[in-house]
Amino acid sequence: MAKHCASVSPSSTPLLKDELDIVIPTIRNLDFLEMWRPFFQPYHLIIVQDGDPSKVIKVPEGFDYELYNRNDINKILGPKASCISFKDSACRCFGYMVSKKKYIYTIDDDCFVAKDPTGKEINALEQHIKNLLCPSTPFFFNTLYDPYRDGADFVRGYPFSLREGVPTAVSHGLWLNIPDYDAPTQLVKPLERNTRYVDAVMTIPKGTLFPMCGMNLAFDRELIGPAMYFGLMGDGQPIGRYDDMWAGWCIKVICDHLGLGVKTGLPYIWHSKASNPFVNLKKEYKGIYWQEELIPFFQSVALPKECTSVQKCYLELSKQVKAKLGKVDDYFNKLADAMITWIEAWDDLNPSTATAAKLPNGSSK
């Protein structure tokens, strides 16, 4: 059976060197980049500095980067900067907005290079690129997981009409060592570590939501970028640690509507340190309560067929958030307004995608 992946064979030139930005939110010196140097140095970095803008963030020598602090965000976006969170890693989505590349990889500064079971260091970025350059299969589950991988294929009974797959918009990677748990789980399992390396990549089926973690995540900015908004979190907001979750629920219903794929599994990174569960509980407790209403909302979202672009889908979603979640808490009215502001700011900084979004079929002529 012919495979339909774009070329991802090893070569001396790093994959997508001129087509991918690495976005890193931080409040500290980026010493962790030393360990990633063999994998990240060829790429351009966008560093989004959170917290005190007068603090100097040190970046190891030899990296090509641009750094934005809160003053820069305010200067570039003006009044629309209100949609970018402060004192929360949700600020990373500003980097998605200012990037001019087709692909984004985002990673947290406490994520180190992991090793596979043979002891070989994992090039997480290369695996994400492979995931993004190979199709997804959201309409029919393949029991051998990713059929496009070497040594795998579509199993007996898989419809031939669906074997071409669909474009992959998002690649969601995992973590060894400290798992991405919520505060109550952290409290009851303080010593639990993830040591299980599962050598699999799978497409999340259409109609199925998932908890998206932003600390090891790649996506096709042209396919789904305008929906990768990490919400209003942190300073002045009643909730934190739901930034990536919110974005994940939004991108999934939009990918399902537009016929795009979301993958999860490889690659792994090594998550080095657990955050304080008591601090996390304070940030999360409203979210833990609210999500029992948020999930049914996203499960029942229907986007009209006129929504032919990500922007149109996202603006329609913001209307439904206001109409249906505004009564859960006034926070969701603010969030719905911020979703509109985010799209306006995105279109200001990315005029070509804004034009494409306004065309009838959602693609540029």
Side-chain angles (χ1 to χ4, degrees), residues 27-324:
I27 54 168
R28 58 180 67 85
N29 293 337
L30 293 179
D31 304 331
F32 92 115
L33 284 172
E34 280 301 347
M35 128 175 2
W36 286 102
R37 190 181 288 277
F39 307 127
F40 287 2
Q41 192 159 1
Y43 296 89
H44 179 67
L45 311 182
I46 297 177
I47 297 157
V48 184
Q49 177 180 346
D50 197 17
D52 180 2
S54 66
K55 184 179 174 186
V56 177
I57 299 283
K58 294 198 176 105
V59 181
E61 284 199 15
F63 285 94
D64 169 40
Y65 71 93
E66 54 195 296
L67 186 148
Y68 298 93
N69 63 29
R70 192 70 206 187
N71 295 341
D72 301 315
I73 295 171
N74 291 339
K75 193 168 156 190
I76 291 165
L77 295 184
K80 294 185 180 118
S82 61
C83 72
I84 304 296
S85 299
F86 183 55
K87 295 192 177 169
D88 192 282
S89 65
C91 67
R92 77 177 79 221
C93 63
F94 177 77
Y96 311 159
M97 186 188 273
V98 293
S99 170
K100 295 290 172 266
K101 305 284 176 63
K102 179 170 166 53
Y103 299 99
I104 295 284
Y105 174 53
T106 185
I107 184 171
D108 284 6
D109 60 15
D110 61 352
C111 294
F112 300 164
V113 178
K115 292 184 175 170
D116 70 16
T118 69
K120 183 172 176 246
E121 290 198 330
I122 297 165
N123 183 346
L125 186 49
E126 182 179 57
Q127 179 65 49
H128 274 298
I129 292 168
K130 287 179 180 176
N131 293 349
L132 289 170
L133 294 183
C134 285
S136 291
T137 52
F139 306 122
F140 202 89
F141 189 79
N142 191 54
T143 51
L144 273 184
Y145 308 120
D146 187 349
Y148 306 104
R149 279 185 81 183
D150 287 341
D153 214 316
F154 291 98
V155 297
R156 183 169 57 88
Y158 202 100
F160 280 83
S161 58
L162 294 176
R163 293 189 183 197
E164 288 292 315
V166 302
T168 301
V170 179
S171 170
H172 176 257
L174 298 173
W175 350 267
L176 292 170
N177 195 37
I178 306 289
D180 187 27
Y181 285 162
D182 54 36
T185 310
Q186 278 184 295
L187 286 165
V188 296
K189 293 181 162 183
L191 302 177
E192 184 150 292
R193 300 293 177 263
N194 184 32
T195 56
R196 293 174 65 235
Y197 178 96
V198 180
D199 186 9
V201 177
M202 63 189 81
T203 299
I204 301 171
K206 182 179 181 181
T208 301
L209 295 171
F210 76 111
M212 187 175 84
C213 171
M215 67 180 150
N216 174 26
L217 178 74
F219 59 94
D220 184 322
R221 200 174 158 277
E222 289 176 8
L223 286 181
I224 200 64
M228 267 297 176
Y229 175 46
F230 275 42
L232 289 177
M233 303 281 149
D235 199 45
Q237 306 301 337
I239 186 175
R241 282 173 58 84
Y242 272 85
D243 51 335
D244 41 9
M245 300 292 134
W246 181 261
W249 299 327
C250 292
I251 62 99
K252 189 58 170 64
V253 297
I254 292 172
C255 283
D256 286 354
H257 174 75
L258 295 176
L260 300 170
V262 178
K263 291 182 180 173
T264 187
L266 301 181
Y268 284 91
I269 49 83
W270 178 270
H271 187 207
S272 66
K273 70 175 194 292
S275 45
N276 184 315
F278 296 100
V279 173
N280 289 349
L281 188 59
K282 204 172 167 186
K283 292 178 181 177
E284 288 173 3
Y285 86 98
K286 280 187 191 272
I288 291 168
Y289 173 64
W290 286 340
Q291 74 184 17
E292 300 306 321
E293 301 202 47
L294 298 182
I295 301 304
F297 164 76
F298 281 103
Q299 285 171 331
S300 65
V301 162
L303 297 171
K305 63 178 188 305
E306 296 77 47
C307 291
T308 51
S309 69
V310 177
Q311 278 97 328
K312 285 178 185 169
C313 290
Y314 203 70
L315 291 172
E316 171 61 28
L317 195 53
S318 77
K319 278 188 217 158
Q320 296 190 28
V321 166
K322 185 163 262 195
K324 295 184 180 163

Side-chain angles (χ1 to χ4, degrees), residues 328-349:
V328 173
D329 192 275
D330 190 48
Y331 166 75
F332 292 101
N333 290 318
K334 283 203 301 181
L335 179 53
D337 290 339
M339 290 167 76
I340 296 168
T341 306
W342 159 265
I343 291 292
E344 289 170 352
W346 182 283
D347 287 349
D348 288 347
L349 292 181

